[in-house]
Amino acid sequence: MKKIIAFVFAFCFLTPGKAQNRDITSAGDIIQIAIPAAALTSAFIYNDDGSKPVRQFFLAYGSGFILQQSLKHIVLKPRPDGSNNYSFPSGHTTCAFTGAAFIQRRYGWKYGVPSYLLASFVGYSRIQAKKHDGWDVLAGATIGIGANYIFTKPYQKKVQVSFNNEQNGYQLGLTYTF
């Protein structure tokens, strides 16, 4: 994950001039799809705990999408660049934070922190492209995270391995949950 963050940093912040803005916007466009794609892929791979993670993903993603699109058509806030009246909330940010929050809820903060950092970059990319302001991005992030806290359950490992240092030696434990 460190390599991915370093690549995004180098790709987006070390390029000169106007190309930098396009690169940041393009990276944000790609990452806003990559995070939910990674979340959905993980749901297919780790689908053995009986919690139906693929269903949870689609419920969270779908409800976030519907709420975000509904608000765009109700609020009709103009974009900072004046291109249209569908600024609030940010759809890119909702998408990215829905994926990041799914990863965090299912697999914990170890994977959640890098996911949230990448999702935050997507929000930043929307602000620098003058498509959204901070409130649009904050609302999109809130929708994405909130949808996951409603629909996503943590992954329950069936096998746990423990290792303890005892006085006369070591103890290796294996626990299987039915």
Side-chain angles (χ1 to χ4, degrees):
M1 189 50 90
K2 290 179 185 177
K3 290 180 183 179
I4 293 170
I5 293 171
F7 173 76
V8 170
F9 177 80
F11 180 75
C12 298
F13 296 109
L14 298 179
T15 56
K18 290 194 179 237
Q20 179 181 8
N21 290 341
R22 281 194 317 258
D23 291 344
I24 291 171
T25 303
S26 296
D29 291 344
I30 293 167
I31 294 169
Q32 69 105 11
I33 295 168
I35 298 171
L40 182 58
T41 301
S42 72
F44 278 112
I45 292 171
Y46 298 105
N47 193 12
D48 62 348
D49 68 343
S51 65
K52 300 179 181 171
V54 174
R55 182 175 182 266
Q56 292 173 17
F57 175 83
F58 282 117
L59 284 171
Y61 193 87
S63 64
F65 177 79
I66 290 168
L67 179 58
Q68 161 287 112
Q69 284 295 314
S70 298
L71 285 171
K72 280 185 180 287
H73 289 86
I74 292 168
V75 175
L76 297 175
K77 180 181 174 193
R79 292 185 185 267
D81 69 356
S83 61
N84 66 34
N85 288 333
Y86 300 114
S87 180
F88 183 86
S90 168
H92 280 66
T93 308
T94 300
C95 182
F97 273 90
T98 300
F102 181 85
I103 291 168
Q104 181 269 314
R105 288 284 293 158
R106 287 285 296 167
Y107 311 111
W109 285 104
K110 178 180 178 181
Y111 302 104
V113 169
S115 300
Y116 279 129
L117 288 173
L118 289 170
S120 297
F121 175 80
V122 172
Y124 165 75
S125 76
R126 301 307 289 164
I127 292 171
Q128 74 81 31
K130 298 192 181 354
K131 296 293 183 182
H132 296 286
D133 60 25
W135 292 109
D136 302 339
V137 168
L138 180 62
T142 302
I143 291 168
I145 293 168
N148 276 284
Y149 273 80
I150 293 169
F151 293 110
T152 305
K153 306 290 182 263
Y155 176 66
Q156 300 296 319
K157 295 180 182 177
K158 291 189 175 195
V159 177
Q160 294 180 339
V161 178
S162 61
F163 184 76
N164 296 317
N165 185 2
E166 299 290 326
Q167 286 179 336
N168 297 331
Y170 300 97
Q171 179 183 15
L172 178 65
L174 183 64
T175 307
Y176 182 80
T177 307
F178 293 95

